[in-house]
Structure formats: C-alpha cells, structure tokens
Amino acid sequence: MVWSFFSAQGWTANAVAGMLGNMVAESTINPGRWEIGQTGNPDAGFGLVQWTPASKLFSWLSANGYSNGSGEGQCRRIIWELNNGEQYYPTSQYPLTFKEFSQSTELPHRLASAFLYNYERPGDPEATETYRQNQADYWYEVITGQPVPPYNPPEGSMLPFIFWCKKKQLY
C-alpha cells in the first residue's frame, strides 16, 4: 500500500524504500501500531512513522475523514507534511529538502539515513541506523524486483571505503 500510494504521488522507488526502511523500524509498517508499552496513550507514538504525540495525528486524521489506523490517511498526512513544511527538516549531513528526498535516486540505504535524521529524529539514531539501511535496500528489491544498484563514486573518492567502514561499523 505504501509503495502504491507514494509512487502514484511521483516518489522514486529509492525514496519510498528509504522511508519503508524507517517504517519497519518504527511500526513494522503497521498503521495501527502504538509505541511499545504505550497502547492508548495519546501522548505516545502511533502509526506508520510513530507520530508523537498520537493525539496530534488523530486530530488531523479525524478532520480529514480518516480513522486513526488508516494507512491511506497516514500516507496522506506525510504528503500534507511535505506540502506544508512540517516534520522533515534537512540537516547538514543530509541537506535534501523533503521534496528533493521524494524525488531522489540516491541509494536507498542513504535515503533511509536521510529520513532517519531529517524526519524521525530519535534520541539515539545510530542505534537502529544500520537496520533501517538494510531494510531500505530490502524494500528497494521488493519494489523494483532488482538488486540495489552499485555505488559509482567519482574517481579517486574515499567514499566507498567510508561507506564500507560505516556498514561494518568500524568507526
């Protein structure tokens, strides 16, 4: 459902995969999921991307004719956030705007990190970053039926070695 919705909005497979990598970590891609141990607490996280407080999401969903657990409603909320400059804030490490993110053809695992740092912003992003990156690559393959394309850095670049180290968590 997430891929169908966002691809119809013109998002790239790379961007949707990056976001899905985060949704797996946040909610197991379950729009009815509460933050662990917080079921029914309107101040806790809820939904595909664990909006916190849930009450803010619920108010928006209700005002727009959706139930709290509506996956379509939550996807529409993400589009509303994109169009209204809400929730997603570019960082120096990932300077993409939300619109640029949605159109990006950067590697899915890099976009997973961009979404993690620019949208999700958990207390300890590094604790789940590799998991989210791996999930993004997995979902890219599910969506496209193709393996993640190899990274082709500029000649003489140190980036491949740095990415390898990060993937292996050597620094």
Side-chain angles (χ1 to χ4, degrees), residues 3-103:
W3 166 239
S4 295
F5 181 88
F6 287 98
S7 65
Q9 300 292 317
W11 286 40
T12 64
N14 305 50
V16 175
M19 184 171 60
L20 279 167
N22 280 274
M23 287 180 175
V24 169
E26 295 291 328
S27 69
T28 65
I29 317 177
N30 177 352
R33 179 128 187 190
W34 283 94
E35 184 177 343
I36 294 173
Q38 298 292 316
T39 301
N41 179 355
D43 295 324
F46 181 84
L48 292 170
V49 293
Q50 293 292 288
W51 281 274
T52 307
S55 58
K56 186 175 178 181
L57 170 67
F58 295 164
S59 293
W60 188 92
L61 289 169
S62 177
N64 287 279
Y66 295 100
S67 67
N68 292 348
S70 169
E72 179 183 348
Q74 292 178 30
C75 288
R76 291 201 183 279
R77 170 64 192 209
I78 292 170
I79 295 298
W80 181 88
E81 291 168 347
L82 182 150
N83 291 333
N84 290 280
E86 296 284 331
Q87 188 61 35
Y88 184 103
Y89 305 105
T91 57
S92 58
Q93 188 175 6
Y94 300 99
L96 297 170
T97 66
F98 206 176
K99 181 68 173 174
E100 290 169 337
F101 171 88
S102 74
Q103 304 301 300

Side-chain angles (χ1 to χ4, degrees), residues 102-113:
S102 74
Q103 304 301 300
S104 181
T105 56
E106 288 191 44
L107 294 173
H109 58 265
R110 176 149 172 84
L111 292 174
S113 292

Side-chain angles (χ1 to χ4, degrees), residues 151-163:
Y151 176 68
N152 293 317
E155 193 170 314
S157 172
M158 287 292 292
L159 288 178
F161 179 70
I162 292 169
F163 283 133

